[in-house]
Amino acid sequence: MPIDSTLHPEGVSNDEFRAAMSRLAAGVCLITAHENPLTPDGPGGEDVGMTATAFMSVSLDPPLVLVSLREGSRMDDLLAEQPLWAVSVLADHQVQVAGRFSMKNRISDRLLFADLPYVRGEVSGAPLLKGALATLECRTENRVEAGDHTLVVGRVLTSATPSPDSPPLAYFRGRYRHLAG
């Protein structure tokens, strides 16, 4: 990664901020949504997915979660139009899934989903990975612009734990990590 010593008015450089935040361990999720067809009689819509480490629980009553999306990303654009989306909390054996959906500047997600075992969410229509620690289906409640990202707050509509006993996948210091048992 190129050095980015851009100094913000607050006195923090991009590299300093990135280095500090890399020390915060995070869980890894696959955020998915189904893009509807462009026309009613045209080809079917496409599934879209992205890896996220900036995902968190916000509220128990009502059940709300938050995901941070890079402004202008395909997922950000889609969730501005499509209010239903899903989350699969990844287990450590799903590290290849995390890498696959974190690739930037890809043209289509169709091939990324081709060989993945998933079920389609009953409410969202979005892919929910088999073998995930937990799955959620959400409806967008609020979108907040925050710097170069959009914070999307979603109301949890369904929740399941397909593989609750698997170890979680973590992200720390710029790499996917396995937690010791």
Side-chain angles (χ1 to χ4, degrees), residues 65-88:
V65 294
L66 177 145
V67 64
S68 180
L69 307 174
R70 186 175 37 82
E71 184 181 272
S73 67
R74 184 159 185 216
M75 187 63 73
D76 184 35
D77 291 345
L78 177 56
L79 294 190
E81 298 175 13
Q82 163 61 282
L84 297 173
W85 46 283
V87 180
S88 296

Side-chain angles (χ1 to χ4, degrees), residues 22-127:
S22 76
R23 272 42 178 201
L24 177 64
V28 183
C29 299
L30 178 65
I31 310 298
T32 57
H34 185 74
E35 185 174 38
N36 292 322
L38 295 175
T39 61
D41 56 346
E46 187 170 316
D47 294 321
V48 177
M50 65 160 265
T51 303
T53 55
F55 175 80
M56 62 181 281
S57 168
V58 173
S59 169
L60 182 60
D61 188 15
L64 299 174
V65 294
L66 177 145
V67 64
S68 180
L69 307 174
R70 186 175 37 82
E71 184 181 272
S73 67
R74 184 159 185 216
M75 187 63 73
D76 184 35
D77 291 345
L78 177 56
L79 294 190
E81 298 175 13
Q82 163 61 282
L84 297 173
W85 46 283
V87 180
S88 296
V89 179
L90 299 183
D92 71 348
H93 68 272
Q94 294 173 313
V95 66
Q96 291 82 8
V97 173
R100 179 185 294 196
F101 284 92
S102 66
M103 294 184 298
K104 292 179 179 32
N105 303 319
R106 59 187 186 265
I107 294 174
S108 171
D109 286 4
R110 189 178 316 272
L111 293 176
L112 300 180
F113 283 103
D115 62 347
L116 289 182
Y118 68 86
V119 297
R120 199 159 289 285
E122 291 182 25
V123 175
S124 67

